């Protein structure tokens, strides 16, 4: 059953009770990475394996995301500051126990292309927070795979 989460701002990415931060350097340039994140929403399914559906909503102000395993999210874009920051808040999800979620992507030029930092910031009931922390290794592996795939897509 879908439920509405607490509306939070982008600052939640810095102060959430649970913050998972992943970084990876890829060879694609920041503008290309930003375009893949913010402008080519439907393209997420081609490089982020766990994403089975991604589509813009509300003229690009929001997104609908579905993940393998059945998780669904309706999101609001909080920031799209080219080519440095892309952030969104989850407004509605079917994930039990979630109370607030923000994901933030920060892009910085690096010697070989772009340093990508993905922050997943969440709050929820205790079992949800513990499960999110326990999922760190799987999320890290998924992020690494997604960045490798995105880099190949953008530079191949």
């Amino acid at each position: 059953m879908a439920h509405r989460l607490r509306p939070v701002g982008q600052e939640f990415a810095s102060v959430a009770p649970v913050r998972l931060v992943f970084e990876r350097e890829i060879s694609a340039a920041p503008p290309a990475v930003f375009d893949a994140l913010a402008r080519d929403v439907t393209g997420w399914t081609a490089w982020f394996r766990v994403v089975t559906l991604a589509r813009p909503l509300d003229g690009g102000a929001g997104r609908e995301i579905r993940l393998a395993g059945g998780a669904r999210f309706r999101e609001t874009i909080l920031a799209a500051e080219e080519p440095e920051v892309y952030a969104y808040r989850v407004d509605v999800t079917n994930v039990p126990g979630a109370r607030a979620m923000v994901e933030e992507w920060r892009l910085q030029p690096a010697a070989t292309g772009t340093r990508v930092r993905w922050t997943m910031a969440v709050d929820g009931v205790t079992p949800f927070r513990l499960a999110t922390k326990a999922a760190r290794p799987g999320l890290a592996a998924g992020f690494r795979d997604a960045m490798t795939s995105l880099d190949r897509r953008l530079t191949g």
Side-chain angles (χ1 to χ4, degrees), residues 14-99:
S14 300
V15 300
V18 177
R19 294 176 64 252
L20 304 179
V21 180
F22 307 98
E23 288 193 20
R24 181 103 192 255
E25 193 169 307
I26 62 175
S27 57
V33 177
F34 182 87
D35 283 347
L37 290 170
R39 292 197 179 97
D40 185 17
V41 173
T42 60
W44 281 55
T45 59
W47 57 268
F48 212 136
R49 188 179 330 172
V50 71
V51 178
T52 61
L53 173 94
R55 67 182 178 128
L57 300 173
D58 306 322
R63 308 179 338 155
E64 177 186 5
I65 301 292
R66 293 186 185 183
L67 304 181
R72 296 186 316 266
F73 305 93
R74 183 176 175 98
E75 303 167 340
T76 295
I77 307 304
L78 298 174
E81 301 165 12
E82 186 176 359
E84 300 159 349
V85 181
Y86 183 60
Y88 42 88
R89 169 187 67 227
V90 174
D91 295 315
V92 177
T93 185
N94 66 338
V95 176
R99 290 186 180 148

Side-chain angles (χ1 to χ4, degrees), residues 62-150:
R63 308 179 338 155
E64 177 186 5
I65 301 292
R66 293 186 185 183
L67 304 181
R72 296 186 316 266
F73 305 93
R74 183 176 175 98
E75 303 167 340
T76 295
I77 307 304
L78 298 174
E81 301 165 12
E82 186 176 359
E84 300 159 349
V85 181
Y86 183 60
Y88 42 88
R89 169 187 67 227
V90 174
D91 295 315
V92 177
T93 185
N94 66 338
V95 176
R99 290 186 180 148
M101 298 177 73
V102 166
E103 293 184 31
E104 180 183 73
W105 297 79
R106 290 206 168 260
L107 311 175
Q108 295 180 325
T112 62
T114 305
R115 173 155 295 283
V116 180
R117 184 176 71 206
W118 174 44
T119 301
M120 176 186 282
V122 303
D123 189 16
V125 298
T126 300
F128 172 78
R129 291 192 317 263
L130 293 172
T132 301
K133 289 177 185 177
R136 177 185 287 278
L139 291 166
F143 173 73
R144 281 191 309 272
D145 290 348
M147 290 302 95
T148 298
S149 182
L150 179 61

